[in-house]
């Protein structure tokens, strides 16, 4: 099978040594988040890594409803193209590589007994897209972390408008009351730490709504892990 289907770079298709990997050029073109980061939203910060948590100005001025967060990539350049292909271009094969990158970035916030769940899509959007990219990521993260996975923990109560072009306040209003824990899963949330998975974090409004739903259902704590983070400069 290797002779017929040799391993290819998940980004550009060039030959590589193993499956679900990047070639050296594409690896260098991806902005992986490393070093000192905001402990709440995963945004890279200037300075050297420290033992104590630090926070960006936005998270200090408006604390997040979740406790800790991390991101694997910055949403720009090659990373933006990969995320869009994964989200809208049926590149579901990217989930395995992407969840591996997320596991590496999320190592500081992973812990025993966590319940892993994706941010949900509304049923009509899921019908059009045919898959929830966040659920594919959450499955890979849960498997890699040896954690319990609940892909339908959260449900969309109503369809929200696309958020491109909205400011932070409009995004928050758009997501308010749109997500809840499914009634049959409320018992799984109570007293647990929930790790929410999404593909991209911009303002954090969607993750905030999802975290609020988990806390309202009795979660002890919520943490978030995303594939890509939109930096303020973007």
């Amino acid at each position: 099978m290797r002779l017929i289907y040799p391993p290819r770079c998940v980004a550009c298709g060039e030959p590589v040594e193993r499956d679900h990997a990047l070639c050296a050029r594409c690896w260098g073109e991806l902005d992986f988040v490393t070093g000192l980061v905001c402990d709440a939203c995963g945004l890279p910060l200037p300075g050297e890594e420290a033992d104590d948590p630090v926070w960006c100005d936005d998270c200090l001025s408006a604390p997040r409803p979740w406790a800790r967060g991390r991101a694997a990539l910055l949403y720009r350049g090659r990373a933006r193209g990969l995320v869009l292909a994964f989200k809208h271009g049926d590149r579901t094969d990217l989930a395995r590589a992407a969840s591996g990158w997320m596991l590496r970035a999320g190592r500081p916030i992973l812990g025993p007994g966590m319940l892993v769940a994706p941010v949900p899509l509304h049923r009509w959007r899921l019908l059009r897209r045919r898959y929830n990219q966040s659920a594919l990521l959450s499955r890979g993260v849960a498997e890699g972390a040896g954690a319990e996975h609940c892909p339908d923990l959260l449900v969309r109560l109503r369809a929200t408008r696309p958020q491109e072009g909205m400011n932070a306040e409009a995004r928050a209003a758009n997501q308010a009351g749109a997500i809840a824990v499914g009634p049959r899963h409320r018992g799984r949330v109570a007293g647990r730490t929930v790790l929410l998975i999404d593909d991209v974090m911009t303002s954090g409004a969607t993750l905030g709504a999802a975290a609020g739903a988990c806390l309202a259902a009795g979660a002890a704590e919520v943490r978030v892990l995303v594939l890509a983070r939109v930096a303020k400069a973007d």
Side-chain angles (χ1 to χ4, degrees), residues 86-104:
F86 175 48
K87 190 171 185 174
H88 301 294
D90 292 335
R91 286 290 311 276
T92 56
D93 59 294
L94 290 169
R96 182 165 175 177
S99 60
W101 305 335
M102 293 170 71
L103 278 166
R104 185 167 55 249

Side-chain angles (χ1 to χ4, degrees), residues 25-26 61 63 92 133 142 164 198 202 208 211 216 227:
R25 180 173 64 86
C26 289
S61 61
T92 56
Q133 71 281 354
E164 288 79 3
D198 206 0
T202 304
L227 174 58

Side-chain angles (χ1 to χ4, degrees), residues 133-212:
Q133 71 281 354
S134 297
L136 297 180
L137 294 173
S138 65
R139 181 176 63 189
V141 168
E143 289 177 354
E148 182 182 352
H149 184 220
C150 187
D152 58 344
L153 177 73
L154 297 168
V155 295
R156 287 269 183 182
L157 302 179
R158 59 179 174 82
T160 53
R161 291 177 292 131
Q163 300 196 132
E164 288 79 3
M166 291 185 183
N167 60 25
E169 291 76 14
R171 287 171 179 262
N174 190 42
Q175 296 293 334
I179 299 174
V181 172
R184 68 191 183 95
H185 290 311
R186 284 184 172 270
R188 299 176 72 177
V189 174
R192 303 279 298 275
T193 296
V194 179
L195 179 66
L196 293 176
I197 303 295
D198 206 0
D199 57 345
V200 179
M201 184 196 304
T202 304
S203 69
T206 303
L207 284 161

Side-chain angles (χ1 to χ4, degrees), residues 31-34 37-38 41-44 69-74 101-102 104-106 109 199 201 224-230:
D31 291 305
F32 286 96
V33 177
T34 59
V37 300
C38 173
C41 73
L43 190 71
R70 289 294 188 275
L73 300 163
L74 288 180
W101 305 335
M102 293 170 71
R104 185 167 55 249
I109 66 169
D199 57 345
M201 184 196 304
V224 303
L225 178 60
V226 300
L227 174 58
R229 179 75 169 91
V230 176

